[in-house]
Amino acid sequence: MISIGFRIDGLDYCDIAEREITGLDCRLFERARIVQKDDRKFCDVRFIINGDLGKEEFDEQKDTIIFKAKEAVKKIIAILIQEEFDIINWQVSEPSITIQNGEKVCAHSSITVENIDTEMQVKSYKKTNFSLEEKISKKQQEIVDILNVSDDVTRYEFLYEKLKRECGNQTNVTKKIKEKYPYISTDNHNIDSKFWNSEQEYQDDFTYLRTLISHGKAENYEEINKRIRRDTNRIVKILFDLEKTNKKRKRKCYTKK
């Protein structure tokens, strides 16, 4: 038997205990399971390779198998965010490959990200397993990929740019927030005085944080540090919600036709 194992960090606020992973590529994988440690500091995920693949065939396809396993991990992250779990950063370790005769080898390629301590709430995953057959859009997958970025500020900037493109421009971000997400403040006074007495004199939390970052002044550091983890978590949820709304709208249009 050949198996591939990973350690996943960053799911501290996701109570998932132990779950089967279904919907795998049966040509490559026989089964898989994710197990969360008692303190929720990390999860172990193990993929059992299809028994029809011998050692030689496995060696030939190893890079593809590792890639597919990592894609499955990324989809699990996306599923959790769809279920409104709090995740702003995640890490998957370098894979370890175990062969039945006891040999263990470490494969190349990894994603390294720091763990983030945030004011987020633990939520329990209620479904019996993780089904990789669940629909994840390309945009949602792109957001999951951004959450692999190790630097807090860069990660946030990428997410904000996606929100800005989704709304059309920066001014429309504030309008959209005011219209659809009233729990997000839109009363932040723009620190860039050239926009005073204009539509951008007062900004939503996300745009205000982006302005603090873009000005790059040392005196903004504490304010940026105070806001960035909270607002990264919120912006991810809003991006997923907007995508969900867009998909519903498209389905309605299709039904009318």
Side-chain angles (χ1 to χ4, degrees), residues 43-61:
C43 298
D44 284 330
V45 59
R46 185 154 297 277
F47 296 83
I48 307 300
I49 307 304
N50 187 328
D52 291 336
L53 290 179
K55 174 70 166 58
E56 188 174 330
E57 287 178 286
F58 171 77
D59 288 341
E60 290 173 356
Q61 298 187 54

Side-chain angles (χ1 to χ4, degrees), residues 71-72 74-83 131-145 240 243 247:
E71 288 295 298
K74 286 163 61 176
K75 190 155 190 182
I76 288 171
I77 304 297
I79 290 168
L80 287 168
I81 296 173
Q82 273 192 332
E83 297 288 331
S131 173
L132 302 185
E133 294 173 352
E134 288 200 33
K135 299 296 183 185
I136 304 296
S137 73
K138 182 180 178 183
K139 285 184 179 179
Q140 289 171 329
Q141 192 59 63
E142 287 170 354
I143 295 164
V144 173
D145 289 337
F240 263 67
E243 177 64 3
K247 285 196 286 188

Side-chain angles (χ1 to χ4, degrees), residues 210-242:
R210 179 64 183 85
T211 302
L212 288 173
I213 291 168
S214 65
H215 278 248
K217 295 179 180 177
E219 59 263 34
N220 296 333
Y221 172 77
E222 286 189 15
E223 187 70 10
I224 292 168
N225 197 47
K226 182 176 75 175
R227 289 170 173 263
I228 196 162
R229 294 174 182 177
R230 178 199 70 179
D231 286 347
T232 297
N233 186 42
R234 289 157 138 200
I235 202 170
V236 167
K237 285 184 166 55
I238 284 175
L239 284 166
F240 263 67
D241 186 63
L242 287 172

Side-chain angles (χ1 to χ4, degrees), residues 26-181:
C26 61
R27 295 169 300 175
L28 301 177
F29 304 108
E30 190 173 305
R31 62 186 184 277
R33 178 176 288 269
I34 184 169
V35 179
Q36 189 173 46
K37 299 306 177 182
D38 292 339
D39 58 3
R40 291 197 311 276
K41 290 298 181 187
F42 67 93
C43 298
D44 284 330
V45 59
R46 185 154 297 277
F47 296 83
I48 307 300
I49 307 304
N50 187 328
D52 291 336
L53 290 179
K55 174 70 166 58
E56 188 174 330
E57 287 178 286
F58 171 77
D59 288 341
E60 290 173 356
Q61 298 187 54
K62 185 168 67 178
D63 288 346
T64 298
I65 291 170
I66 291 170
F67 174 79
K68 292 285 189 181
K70 284 188 174 181
E71 288 295 298
V73 170
K74 286 163 61 176
K75 190 155 190 182
I76 288 171
I77 304 297
I79 290 168
L80 287 168
I81 296 173
Q82 273 192 332
E83 297 288 331
E84 298 189 349
F85 282 80
D86 293 330
I87 303 171
I88 64 168
N89 190 209
W90 60 280
Q91 168 189 345
V92 58
S93 70
E94 195 149 330
S96 63
I97 301 171
T98 305
I99 301 174
Q100 193 173 31
N101 63 14
E103 177 188 358
K104 185 175 182 180
V105 295
C106 287
H108 66 279
S109 180
S110 65
I111 302 170
T112 55
V113 187
E114 64 181 35
N115 278 326
I116 303 294
D117 182 22
T118 65
E119 297 178 1
M120 300 192 289
Q121 294 184 341
V122 174
K123 184 177 176 181
S124 295
Y125 187 71
K126 301 297 185 185
K127 296 181 181 179
T128 56
N129 57 36
F130 285 101
S131 173
L132 302 185
E133 294 173 352
E134 288 200 33
K135 299 296 183 185
I136 304 296
S137 73
K138 182 180 178 183
K139 285 184 179 179
Q140 289 171 329
Q141 192 59 63
E142 287 170 354
I143 295 164
V144 173
D145 289 337
I146 289 172
L147 293 181
N148 272 151
V149 175
S150 59
D151 181 71
D152 287 359
V153 169
T154 304
R155 187 188 325 124
Y156 180 81
E157 287 182 307
F158 286 164
L159 291 167
Y160 182 79
E161 285 304 308
K162 287 192 76 65
L163 181 60
K164 191 166 75 171
R165 285 198 298 272
E166 197 67 33
C167 296
N169 58 46
Q170 187 167 298
T171 303
N172 285 344
V173 170
T174 302
K175 289 179 180 177
K176 175 68 75 175
I177 296 299
K178 190 175 289 189
E179 166 198 325
K180 193 169 181 186
Y181 307 100

